[in-house]
Amino acid sequence: MTSSNRLYLFDTTLRDGAQTQGVDFTVADKVAIARELDRLGIDYIEGGWPGANPTDDRFFADPPEFQNAKFVAFGMTRRAGRSAANDPGLNAILQTKARNVCMVGKTWDFHVDVALELDRTEYLEMIADSIAHAKGRMDEVMFDAEHFFDGYKANPDYALACLHAAEKAGARWLVLCDTNGGTMPHEIERIVGEVCARIPGEKIGIHTHNDTENAVANTLAAVRAGARQVQGTINGLGERCGNANMISLIANLVIKMGYETGLKDGALQRLTHLSRLLDDRLNVPTNRSAAYVGTRAFAHKGGLHVSAVEKDPKTYEHVDPEMVGNQRIIVVSDQAGRSNIMARFRQIGLEVDPKDPAVARLLEIVKEREAEGYAYDGADASFELLARHELHTVPDYFALQSFRVLVERRVNARGQLIAMSEATVKLDVAGHRAMEVGEGNGPVNALDAALRKALVPVYPELADMRLVDFKVRILDSAGGTAATTRVMIESGDAKGRRWSTIGVSPNIVDASYNALYDAITYKLFRDGATPATERAASA
Amino acid sequence: MTSSNRLYLFDTTLRDGAQTQGVDFTVADKVAIARELDRLGIDYIEGGWPGANPTDDRFFADPPEFQNAKFVAFGMTRRAGRSAANDPGLNAILQTKARNVCMVGKTWDFHVDVALELDRTEYLEMIADSIAHAKGRMDEVMFDAEHFFDGYKANPDYALACLHAAEKAGARWLVLCDTNGGTMPHEIERIVGEVCARIPGEKIGIHTHNDTENAVANTLAAVRAGARQVQGTINGLGERCGNANMISLIANLVIKMGYETGLKDGALQRLTHLSRLLDDRLNVPTNRSAAYVGTRAFAHKGGLHVSAVEKDPKTYEHVDPEMVGNQRIIVVSDQAGRSNIMARFRQIGLEVDPKDPAVARLLEIVKEREAEGYAYDGADASFELLARHELHTVPDYFALQSFRVLVERRVNARGQLIAMSEATVKLDVAGHRAMEVGEGNGPVNALDAALRKALVPVYPELADMRLVDFKVRILDSAGGTAATTRVMIESGDAKGRRWSTIGVSPNIVDASYNALYDAITYKLFRDGATPATERAASA
């Protein structure tokens, strides 16, 4: 029996991934991630569990317009003792802007007996009427068969009966979930094969977890055995050991195994970007060893390999890194460092003669700075300023003499505990010394306010500049509060431009100042502002 | 044809793992790791490549006494144009205290043609005489068949000819290496099956890489197809995306698939320790999501699960965590329900009547705090203090009146640009008002110094307390520098205890103070310190 080659990709980063310890998506985070998934051509985006938490309520009340994906609400089959129509949890997931739901239910008799304490036959009816009730109101209804593999091993007839109940009631997909994550790939392959033989029509989906480090392999095995919907999360985000990594799944299923999907042209090349997007949103370090998209995934270390790689990359690379938006890195090699830097120059539109001594100097400076904690990957504007500074093509717009920032917590006159910040800056601009004070919620906020007071009158271009994002990372944190701090700032302006800058120092306020300085300088440079020092001279 | 159930475990952490970017094992590191592997009952320990670097030269000149493991030197087949006896690289690996060698050679015709530029038949002779030469001097010789799967797909006859050459010359093991890491599990299974049919006698080994996130699954597939030597590294350490993770391999092969090994009694329970040992040696953070041994591997979040887990762990755990030396964790979450909170109380040893109104109050407080940005998942000590405070079981050890923190950047008398921080605290303790000043690299460092000055004289228990880790996360960062800041601090003391606390505020220094306050209070509570307020009263 042949089956079609078309797989349906179902992303649950915003639902199952969101359950991870320490993960708190804001509505803005969910919108950004969902938009990118839709843009790539993912078939289903499970946005969360409306009714279970306020963030999901807001997200589902006003989701983005999707061009490609079906937007899915997750929920549970109805509780005992209520009809489907009167189950508030079920109603909550049927009354949002989503037109598709994925409902989880038990398929392991042990769970029905012990965890739910219900009659098994009654439970089959609960599955059936929940699905039927939803089917009357949604475009598509799916059934997440929880603990399916444990359930099938214990009592295959009951597990299949649960699937049949959902199928007959109108479920489009029956998703077999390895909820505890303990099933081995060969077992998955056997069981999925048996289920597909009993339930034809390409309705079987697969949802695995990484508790034995086999989530991806389990999914591949299920697909080979007939599953056609594939669930996963970006970067394998998920509780305990994570979910199946959607990025590895896509690369493996499409590039290695030749399956078709709904992915748009260019989607594969955006996989690296997708991975970094989630890291940025969660403010977590990138997993450098991630398959396909890790920064080290195509890093060749000196010695045996390097000359072979350069003769023919196929000798040491299993795929072309650019297929997934990644790049080859050759480490411990001046020659390769040089080609990396030249490529960066081209990327930012800098015409540089490779023989210009500034190139070698810049390479040295970047290496030193990166050893101190700078990371120019995510701070394009700081890198460009560094390069232009070495090439003498960016002027100094002002010169900081000093700043002083005060943070205070005390009880005010009304007996309330307050925390406030005040900053004073002294800088030279337009031929005079400016001294201004500003206040704010916190030290960096106050410093920014003081700087603007001093600079906007001289550089009106700065008036529409605003801080969009602010990230702090402590490096060498094993040193406690005496560690190095890296601050990255993203700025924006009324022209819709965005640029990222970086500052590093053991002192977080100092690091923030460095990032702010670059942000301001970059804005003035891009706007072609005349340095006030020149104005003073010609006045 | 039946094969035996006995697998041979071959650890290459100290050789292939050592090639990872950023990894530098000292001889002491290698000794410690090798001793632990030997103690567990690993069959082969590949210690490195003598002759290739000074550390390995020293390690192989004076290795530990092994009780169980065979100590293996890694190297290469001889180079062209020299006899095996006159190849210095080959000699180097045969002249150490190791009695076993594993030699790598090509099996992909493409590599022999393009990378080595040699005649294919001549290369077969090079394999054969290198192995034979070693066999005359060693107890056991093994052949690492580099790029085997790519080689077999391109030209199976040549790949097999290379294996036969090594086998006939006396190799005990022929290890099929997926060097580029790009082979899929079903391909591994097919190819290993075909090779085992052509080369009987249980001589086939498997060595995989994680470039498609299938290293573990590929190894399991190879074993099912007849491979009997299994190569891997602790924690999957290795270049690019890593090697097969020996810890996941052992747990899967022994616990799940029932194979026999040379592992000693109690070895499985030491797997978590083995994982942490390597992290400590490399001074890297533990991978919290690692299968089996990650700190989160058995962490249960979310109301649905928790009551079920407590009724019967088999409902939600695929193995008993204690089998691998790990433990179950129940976390408090924003999806916290009553059963989560009660479970947390039990875990921290708090006896609480479920009907105590404090429980409902606490649930409300946790939800509100989490909406403000608190995350109690990773801040156990702050949660405990919150709970105890509601239950009135933790005293106030001191009362902060105010603090003032100054951060300054200026040019000092010697014309150097400096950034410094100074903090003043006013607090009431032991019946008097203490006012102290401290300085540090940054604002939080300075505040910590001032607090200690004020408190250690009254509470000597605080003298051995130190800050171990410090993390900052900006929430709602789309607000730029006016966002909410969450600070998490991990503290430690001389008793080896660790505890995590959290503080939230729009002001980063204020948030840090809150986390510090909880850290100090928790330490004093755990040490049973007498609140100085009482001391003053009874004085």
Side-chain angles (χ1 to χ4, degrees):
Chain A
M1 176 175 64
T2 51
S3 55
S4 86
N5 211 32
R6 168 65 152 101
L7 300 180
Y8 292 82
L9 301 174
F10 184 113
D11 186 282
T12 181
T13 304
L14 304 181
R15 196 278 303 171
D16 213 2
Q19 287 177 202
T20 310
Q21 193 181 344
V23 168
D24 299 288
F25 287 128
T26 59
V27 173
D29 290 332
K30 289 203 168 194
V31 167
I33 292 164
R35 281 210 169 114
E36 182 64 17
L37 291 168
D38 180 53
R39 178 182 171 167
L40 292 180
I42 296 291
D43 298 288
Y44 297 90
I45 297 171
E46 191 173 59
W49 190 340
N53 67 80
T55 302
D56 283 348
D57 291 341
R58 288 199 299 276
F59 182 49
F60 277 82
D62 187 24
E65 280 277 335
F66 291 110
Q67 306 303 318
N68 303 306
K70 293 181 179 169
F71 189 48
V72 181
F74 173 86
M76 256 172 55
T77 49
R78 69 166 174 87
R79 292 184 186 280
R82 293 173 171 277
S83 69
N86 285 333
D87 186 298
L90 193 42
N91 278 335
I93 73 173
L94 297 175
Q95 287 164 2
T96 77
K97 293 267 168 67
R99 300 293 312 146
N100 310 279
V101 301
C102 187
M103 218 180 287
V104 66
K106 306 291 181 194
T107 56
W108 187 1
D109 58 3
F110 183 52
H111 268 249
V112 178
D113 298 344
V114 173
L116 296 185
E117 293 173 344
L118 291 175
D119 173 78
R120 294 180 191 181
T121 307
E122 178 187 349
Y123 188 71
L124 292 178
E125 289 166 12
M126 287 164 65
I127 292 176
D129 53 48
S130 303
I131 298 277
H133 179 72
K135 186 80 169 99
R137 289 155 183 74
M138 292 282 119
D139 294 344
E140 221 175 286
V141 183
M142 294 162 266
F143 179 63
D144 260 359
E146 208 191 29
H147 295 281
F148 183 79
F149 296 90
D150 293 312
Y152 188 91
K153 286 182 195 175
N155 186 340
D157 292 334
Y158 188 70
L160 282 165
C162 294
L163 294 185
H164 277 127
E167 188 200 11
K168 288 204 192 77
R172 161 66 182 97
W173 290 103
L174 310 168
V175 184
L176 312 183
C177 303
D178 185 27
T179 308
N180 288 355
T183 315
M184 292 278 101
H186 63 282
E187 299 175 315
I188 298 269
E189 192 162 353
R190 173 181 67 85
I191 293 171
V192 172
E194 291 175 16
V195 171
C196 287
R198 298 281 294 271
I199 301 184
E202 299 200 351
K203 299 180 178 179
I204 302 302
I206 180 72
H207 174 116
T208 60
H209 285 271
N210 213 25
D211 298 73
T212 67
E213 213 179 320
N214 281 301
V216 167
N218 281 351
T219 302
L220 302 184
V223 167
R224 278 166 41 79
R228 286 295 174 265
Q229 191 203 78
V230 162
Q231 298 207 358
T233 64
I234 304 166
N235 298 341
L237 184 72
E239 49 182 342
R240 300 191 317 269
C241 308
N243 284 47
N245 186 337
M246 183 59 92
I247 291 176
S248 304
L249 287 178
I250 289 173
N252 286 340
L253 289 164
V254 174
I255 301 174
K256 297 278 178 173
M257 295 170 76
Y259 284 95
E260 285 162 31
T261 61
L263 294 174
K264 301 296 171 194
D265 288 341
L268 286 180
Q269 285 86 338
R270 285 188 76 84
L271 285 179
T272 299
H273 171 78
L274 178 68
S275 174
R276 306 282 186 270
L277 172 70
L278 184 66
D279 292 335
D280 283 352
R281 284 282 156 181
L282 296 178
N283 197 22
V284 294
T286 288
N287 174 8
R288 292 185 284 179
S289 305
Y292 291 102
V293 299
T295 46
R296 281 189 199 154
F298 298 93
H300 299 278
K301 203 168 160 183
L304 290 182
H305 292 57
V306 173
S307 50
V309 167
E310 296 194 316
K311 280 179 196 170
D312 191 329
K314 282 204 321 294
T315 47
Y316 277 91
E317 281 173 2
H318 71 109
V319 293
D320 176 354
E322 300 199 353
M323 282 188 81
V324 292
N326 206 344
Q327 58 179 359
R328 176 180 310 128
I329 299 175
I330 307 213
V331 290
V332 194
S333 158
D334 264 2
Q335 205 55 36
R338 184 174 283 269
S339 57
N340 271 19
I341 283 250
M342 295 304 301
R344 278 309 279 287
F345 292 155
R346 280 190 292 278
Q347 242 181 356
I348 59 183
L350 262 180
E351 296 292 328
V352 184
D353 180 348
K355 294 188 231 39
D356 188 333
V359 175
R361 273 201 316 273
L362 203 45
L363 204 47
E364 270 316 300
I365 291 173
V366 167
K367 281 181 177 171
E368 278 168 28
R369 291 275 186 104
E370 288 187 340
E372 287 168 32
Y374 281 80
Y376 286 104
D377 280 351
D380 302 345
S382 281
F383 175 78
E384 184 175 341
L385 288 176
L386 189 69
R388 290 190 181 281
H389 195 259
E390 275 307 301
L391 300 164
H392 305 294
T393 59
V394 65
D396 294 317
Y397 296 98
F398 65 96
L400 179 81
Q401 290 306 312
S402 66
F403 67 68
R404 190 181 331 137
V405 178
L406 190 70
V407 175
E408 207 174 6
R409 175 196 276 203
R410 56 182 171 79
V411 177
N412 69 5
R414 283 174 288 174
Q416 298 159 323
L417 186 69
I418 57 157
M420 50 72 69
S421 275
E422 189 184 284
T424 310
V425 299
K426 262 191 220 170
L427 50 84
D428 290 335
V429 66
H432 72 272
R433 169 148 305 177
M435 185 170 173
E436 294 289 349
V437 64
E439 62 179 354
N441 282 343
V444 180
N445 198 221
L447 190 54
D448 181 47
L451 282 169
R452 282 171 193 278
K453 265 190 171 179
L455 294 172
V456 169
V458 182
Y459 296 112
E461 294 89 341
L462 294 177
D464 73 334
M465 174 176 158
R466 69 195 194 292
L467 293 175
V468 169
D469 201 356
F470 177 77
K471 291 188 181 61
V472 179
R473 173 114 184 264
I474 313 293
L475 312 170
D476 301 320
S477 61
T481 57
T484 299
T485 307
R486 176 199 292 161
V487 169
M488 289 184 54
I489 280 176
E490 190 183 2
S491 308
D493 67 9
K495 294 189 183 69
R497 289 183 301 202
R498 294 287 179 92
W499 60 103
S500 297
T501 53
I502 186 175
V504 172
S505 168
N507 184 314
I508 193 174
V509 176
D510 203 47
S512 304
Y513 174 79
N514 293 337
L516 275 172
Y517 176 84
D518 272 7
I520 291 168
T521 301
Y522 189 78
K523 161 73 166 162
L524 293 174
F525 178 75
R526 279 272 156 237
D527 279 357
T530 313
T533 44
E534 289 170 20
R535 282 183 239 166
S538 58
Chain B
M1 174 177 63
T2 50
S3 55
S4 86
N5 211 31
R6 168 66 154 103
L7 299 181
Y8 292 83
L9 302 174
F10 184 113
D11 186 284
T12 180
T13 303
L14 304 180
R15 197 276 303 170
D16 211 1
Q19 286 177 201
T20 312
Q21 192 183 344
V23 168
D24 297 287
F25 288 128
T26 61
V27 173
D29 290 332
K30 290 203 166 194
V31 167
I33 293 165
R35 282 209 169 112
E36 182 64 17
L37 290 168
D38 179 55
R39 177 183 170 167
L40 293 181
I42 296 290
D43 299 287
Y44 297 90
I45 297 172
E46 192 173 58
W49 190 342
N53 67 78
T55 302
D56 285 346
D57 292 341
R58 288 199 299 277
F59 183 49
F60 277 82
D62 187 24
E65 281 276 335
F66 292 109
Q67 307 304 319
N68 303 307
K70 293 180 179 170
F71 189 47
V72 181
F74 173 86
M76 257 173 53
T77 48
R78 71 167 174 84
R79 291 182 187 283
R82 292 172 172 278
S83 69
N86 286 331
D87 186 298
L90 194 42
N91 280 334
I93 73 174
L94 298 174
Q95 288 164 4
T96 77
K97 294 268 169 64
R99 302 293 312 148
N100 311 280
V101 303
C102 186
M103 217 178 289
V104 66
K106 307 291 182 195
T107 56
W108 186 1
D109 58 3
F110 184 52
H111 268 250
V112 177
D113 298 344
V114 173
L116 295 184
E117 293 173 345
L118 290 174
D119 173 78
R120 295 181 190 181
T121 308
E122 179 187 347
Y123 188 71
L124 291 177
E125 288 164 13
M126 287 164 64
I127 291 176
D129 53 47
S130 304
I131 298 277
H133 178 72
K135 187 80 168 96
R137 288 155 183 74
M138 294 282 121
D139 294 345
E140 222 176 285
V141 183
M142 295 161 266
F143 179 62
D144 260 0
E146 209 191 31
H147 295 284
F148 184 79
F149 296 90
D150 292 312
Y152 188 90
K153 286 182 194 175
N155 186 339
D157 292 334
Y158 188 70
L160 283 165
C162 294
L163 295 186
H164 278 126
E167 186 200 12
K168 286 204 194 77
R172 161 67 183 95
W173 290 103
L174 309 168
V175 184
L176 312 183
C177 304
D178 185 29
T179 308
N180 286 356
T183 315
M184 294 278 101
H186 62 283
E187 299 174 317
I188 297 270
E189 191 161 355
R190 173 182 66 86
I191 293 171
V192 172
E194 290 174 16
V195 171
C196 287
R198 296 282 294 272
I199 302 183
E202 299 200 352
K203 300 179 178 180
I204 302 301
I206 179 73
H207 174 115
T208 60
H209 285 272
N210 212 24
D211 297 73
T212 66
E213 214 178 318
N214 282 301
V216 168
N218 281 351
T219 302
L220 302 183
V223 167
R224 281 168 36 80
R228 286 294 174 265
Q229 193 204 76
V230 162
Q231 297 207 358
T233 63
I234 304 167
N235 298 341
L237 184 72
E239 49 182 341
R240 299 190 319 268
C241 307
N243 283 46
N245 185 338
M246 183 58 93
I247 290 177
S248 304
L249 287 178
I250 289 172
N252 287 339
L253 289 164
V254 173
I255 301 175
K256 297 279 178 174
M257 296 170 76
Y259 285 94
E260 286 162 31
T261 61
L263 293 174
K264 300 299 172 192
D265 288 337
L268 286 180
Q269 285 85 338
R270 285 187 75 82
L271 285 179
T272 299
H273 170 78
L274 178 67
S275 173
R276 305 283 186 271
L277 172 70
L278 184 66
D279 291 336
D280 284 350
R281 283 281 156 182
L282 296 178
N283 197 22
V284 293
T286 289
N287 174 8
R288 293 184 284 179
S289 304
Y292 292 103
V293 299
T295 47
R296 281 188 199 154
F298 298 94
H300 298 277
K301 192 178 168 179
L304 285 185
H305 293 58
V306 173
S307 51
V309 168
E310 294 200 311
K311 282 179 194 168
D312 191 330
K314 282 205 320 294
T315 47
Y316 276 91
E317 280 172 4
H318 70 110
V319 295
D320 176 353
E322 299 197 356
M323 281 188 81
V324 292
N326 206 344
Q327 60 178 359
R328 177 179 310 130
I329 298 175
I330 308 223
V331 292
V332 180
S333 73
D334 58 352
Q335 289 150 42
R338 183 170 283 268
S339 56
N340 267 24
I341 283 253
M342 295 306 301
R344 272 316 279 288
F345 292 156
R346 280 190 290 277
Q347 232 183 6
I348 60 183
L350 263 180
E351 295 292 328
V352 184
D353 180 347
K355 293 186 230 45
D356 186 333
V359 175
R361 270 199 321 269
L362 201 46
L363 206 47
E364 271 316 299
I365 290 173
V366 167
K367 280 186 174 161
E368 277 166 29
R369 290 274 185 106
E370 286 187 339
E372 287 167 30
Y374 281 82
Y376 286 104
D377 282 351
D380 303 342
S382 281
F383 174 76
E384 184 173 342
L385 288 176
L386 190 68
R388 290 189 180 280
H389 195 258
E390 274 307 299
L391 300 163
H392 307 293
T393 60
V394 66
D396 295 317
Y397 295 99
F398 64 95
L400 179 81
Q401 290 305 312
S402 65
F403 67 68
R404 188 178 333 133
V405 179
L406 189 68
V407 175
E408 206 171 8
R409 175 196 276 202
R410 56 183 171 77
V411 177
N412 70 5
R414 282 173 287 175
Q416 298 161 322
L417 188 67
I418 57 158
M420 50 72 68
S421 276
E422 189 184 286
T424 310
V425 300
K426 261 191 222 169
L427 49 85
D428 290 335
V429 66
H432 73 273
R433 168 146 309 175
M435 185 169 173
E436 294 289 348
V437 65
E439 61 179 357
N441 281 343
V444 180
N445 198 221
L447 188 55
D448 181 47
L451 283 168
R452 282 172 192 278
K453 265 192 175 180
L455 293 172
V456 169
V458 181
Y459 296 113
E461 295 90 340
L462 295 177
D464 72 335
M465 173 176 158
R466 71 192 192 292
L467 292 175
V468 169
D469 201 357
F470 177 77
K471 291 188 179 62
V472 179
R473 174 117 184 260
I474 314 293
L475 311 171
D476 301 319
S477 60
T481 57
T484 298
T485 306
R486 174 199 294 161
V487 169
M488 291 184 52
I489 280 176
E490 190 182 2
S491 308
D493 66 9
K495 294 189 183 67
R497 291 184 300 202
R498 295 286 179 92
W499 61 103
S500 297
T501 55
I502 185 174
V504 172
S505 169
N507 184 314
I508 193 174
V509 176
D510 201 48
S512 303
Y513 174 79
N514 293 337
L516 275 172
Y517 176 84
D518 272 6
I520 291 168
T521 302
Y522 189 78
K523 161 73 166 160
L524 293 174
F525 178 75
R526 279 273 155 238
D527 279 357
T530 312
T533 43
E534 291 173 19
R535 283 185 238 166
S538 59

